Amino acid sequence: MFDKISSDDLIFAFFPCIRFENQIMLWFRGQSVSQKKWSLEEKCEFDMNLLKEVSLMYDLVNKMFIICMRKGLKLVMENPYSEEHFLRRYWCYSPAVIDRDRRDSGDYFKKPTQYWFLNCEPQNNLVFEPIRYVGIHTKWEHRTMEDYRVTGASNVKTARSMIHPQYADRFIRQYILDEEIWRGKQ
């Protein structure tokens, strides 16, 4: 797959977050609500398998970065942000951009997110345009499927992974494209 990508291309990776996000620590400690009735033995067996899954994801993210380093490919990777996030604690590469509240740039959810840039730098362009506010403010425990339907998704899990087109457009113009290109000056 990487052989067909040139150094002029940009890889934008939305790496699966399920094994890196901050809830993983609760699962390892046996403190997830779903594990309330599990025995200690069940929790220990689960932990062994969970560690294998985390290790597999960690290997894959490192392999992706190593391939891009060796081939000189530009890569931007997105993943949730939190202090407990696995890659924030146990990875040698720091994110270049951290967005603590995506609603401020026109997304549906607060959803703190971090972005790693490899073989390229974020542009930090200023985008002076009004934002059409689409954020969902309802507290997590009070949300209904109706709160999520605005995303166009059919279930909560999919809705949480959706990015509003306004947010994506602003992110690309602010951090990816050279300002002269998106303003049409070239």
Side-chain angles (χ1 to χ4, degrees):
M1 176 176 90
F2 288 95
D3 291 339
K4 296 181 180 182
I5 300 171
S6 80
S7 58
D8 293 330
D9 294 328
L10 173 68
I11 300 167
F12 208 118
F14 293 88
F15 204 84
C17 63
I18 191 72
R19 293 300 178 231
F20 293 146
E21 50 88 29
N22 61 354
Q23 296 298 311
I24 201 71
M25 299 306 168
L26 290 175
W27 283 95
F28 272 121
R29 291 191 304 259
Q31 296 172 334
S32 174
V33 173
S34 303
Q35 296 171 297
K36 210 172 241 187
K37 295 181 181 178
W38 291 16
S39 69
L40 180 58
E41 182 180 340
E42 287 173 308
K43 291 176 183 178
C44 288
E45 287 177 358
F46 180 82
D47 277 0
M48 289 187 300
N49 291 319
L50 184 58
L51 185 58
K52 289 175 191 171
E53 289 179 35
V54 171
S55 181
L56 173 65
M57 289 294 119
Y58 190 67
D59 284 351
L60 289 175
V61 78
N62 276 294
K63 286 176 183 176
M64 179 175 68
F65 269 71
I66 290 168
I67 289 168
C68 289
M69 281 183 247
R70 289 180 181 170
K71 292 183 160 283
L73 301 176
K74 292 179 270 194
L75 168 69
V76 177
M77 185 181 82
E78 176 272 348
N79 223 248
Y81 169 83
S82 73
E83 288 300 320
E84 295 291 321
H85 190 277
F86 188 86
L87 295 179
R88 246 186 91 63
R89 290 189 168 249
Y90 305 109
W91 202 28
C92 58
Y93 199 58
S94 297
V97 173
I98 297 173
D99 187 346
R100 295 182 193 278
D101 189 346
R102 289 172 34 165
R103 294 173 302 183
D104 293 342
S105 292
D107 204 12
Y108 301 110
F109 303 103
K110 183 174 182 177
K111 228 163 92 172
T113 306
Q114 55 194 341
Y115 300 89
W116 289 265
F117 284 67
L118 181 67
N119 295 326
C120 59
E121 295 292 326
Q123 293 295 312
N124 293 316
N125 297 320
L126 296 175
V127 180
F128 292 108
E129 294 172 1
I131 296 171
R132 186 172 60 87
Y133 190 78
V134 296
I136 296 173
H137 269 293
T138 314
K139 290 189 183 222
W140 177 255
E141 61 271 15
H142 300 296
R143 289 185 188 154
T144 66
M145 191 54 213
E146 286 306 311
D147 292 321
Y148 292 100
R149 288 207 199 287
V150 69
T151 68
S154 59
N155 62 61
V156 172
K157 186 176 180 180
T158 302
R160 287 286 300 156
S161 67
M162 302 293 287
I163 296 174
H164 193 280
Q166 176 180 225
Y167 179 84
D169 177 67
R170 290 181 69 84
F171 182 88
I172 289 167
R173 290 187 290 136
Q174 186 173 357
Y175 296 111
I176 306 297
L177 296 178
D178 184 282
E179 187 173 4
E180 290 186 3
I181 291 172
W182 67 263
R183 288 203 186 271
K185 294 180 182 175
Q186 256 188 338

